[in-house]
């Protein structure tokens, strides 16, 4: 059941100096860091990554937000780390995300178009494989 997931520490977290805090929580949970890189994503990478959201009202704002500065892409590993990281992250809307979660503790509504919510985490084994191929093609 050991699996890998893609975590993105989003530009809001990078700008606020919270990247280390997010990674600390992943390590404290017990997941392994397989690979990690800091990069400012291209629109092309983001269009691939967020293909499922194309056409939604927040899509353009989401791509603009995600391309606005550096993100940290992390490949994590562990038994059931895909749902496990989603639990650590909390609900998509940081106002509703419970205290104790990454989004609940570190995120808030800034009144921006796209939801600034600190992290992305893959939502299924299929998504994880697809997303890791975009952000970490070198892992094979
Ligand atoms: P997830 O990140 O919790 O999996 P998704 O529904 O996959 O949530 O949405 C991808 C990202 O798009 C979210 O993390 C958030 O940044 C943004 N987003 C989702 N829904 C909305 C919305 O209704 N308004 C603005 N931004 C949104
Ligand atoms: Mg999602």
């Amino acid at each position: 059941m050991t699996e890998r997931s893609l975590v993105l520490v989003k530009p809001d977290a990078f700008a606020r100096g919270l990247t280390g805090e997010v990674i600390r929580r992943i390590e404290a949970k017990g997941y392994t860091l397989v690979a990690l890189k800091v990069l400012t994503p291209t629109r092309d990478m983001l269009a691939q990554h967020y293909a499922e959201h194309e056409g939604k009202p927040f899509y353009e704002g989401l791509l603009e937000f995600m391309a606005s500065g550096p993100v940290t892409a992390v490949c994590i590993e562990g038994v059931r780390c895909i749902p496990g990281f989603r639990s650590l992250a909390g609900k998509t809307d940081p106002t509703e995300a419970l205290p104790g979660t990454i989004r609940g503790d570190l995120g808030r509504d800034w009144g921006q178009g796209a939801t600034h919510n600190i992290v992305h985490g893959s939502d299924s084994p299929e998504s994880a494989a697809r997303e890791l191929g975009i952000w970490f093609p070198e892992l094979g």
Side-chain angles (χ1 to χ4, degrees), residues 10 50 52-53 58 62 86 92 103 113-115 117 119-121:
K10 296 186 176 185
Y50 283 123
E52 66 174 303
H53 296 302
F58 59 85
L62 176 60
R86 299 277 294 184
T92 304
R103 288 163 166 171
T115 301
N117 58 1
V119 287
H120 164 84

Side-chain angles (χ1 to χ4, degrees), residues 8 11 32 38-39 41 43-44 57 66 93 123 125:
L8 299 177
T32 302
V38 178
L39 73 166
R43 199 187 149 89
D44 185 57
M66 290 298 293
D93 179 350
D123 64 9

